[in-house]
Amino acid sequence: RNGWSADREEFTPGVTCVGASLRDHSGAVVGSVRCSMPTMRADKEHLDAVIKAVRGCAATISGRLGDTTARTGDEGGRASAA
């Protein structure tokens, strides 16, 4: 819904990940990009910057794959305070 997903130590203790899907010309999900960081660095400000970067990267790649609905990462999508 918001263009990204997060894993806060759900898979590996001490590691937080942010990911976004890659879509092709038909809008089908064909892959993903993600960024992992130590949870101790994942404060709201840093996480917001990573979310924006990951969404922007996914939008660029998706656009090259023909997706015309790709989001740039500037539409919002901020980390929650949790």
Side-chain angles (χ1 to χ4, degrees), residues 2 4 51-52 55 73-78:
N2 58 16
W4 59 277
I51 290 166
K52 184 175 180 179
R55 289 182 71 209
D74 293 331
E75 298 86 6
R78 303 285 184 243

Side-chain angles (χ1 to χ4, degrees), residues 7-72:
D7 167 355
R8 193 177 284 263
E9 299 186 86
E10 294 169 25
F11 186 68
T12 305
V15 178
T16 294
C17 304
V18 172
S21 59
L22 303 177
R23 296 181 180 272
D24 67 8
H25 63 283
S26 69
V29 174
V30 295
S32 65
V33 293
R34 61 185 281 168
C35 179
S36 301
M37 68 202 91
T39 299
M40 64 184 220
R41 282 195 192 163
D43 61 26
K44 184 174 177 349
E45 182 179 316
H46 186 72
L47 203 51
D48 284 345
V50 172
I51 290 166
K52 184 175 180 179
V54 167
R55 289 182 71 209
C57 179
T60 298
I61 295 168
S62 292
R64 291 180 182 174
L65 294 172
D67 181 26
T68 59
T69 64
R71 297 180 176 183
T72 64

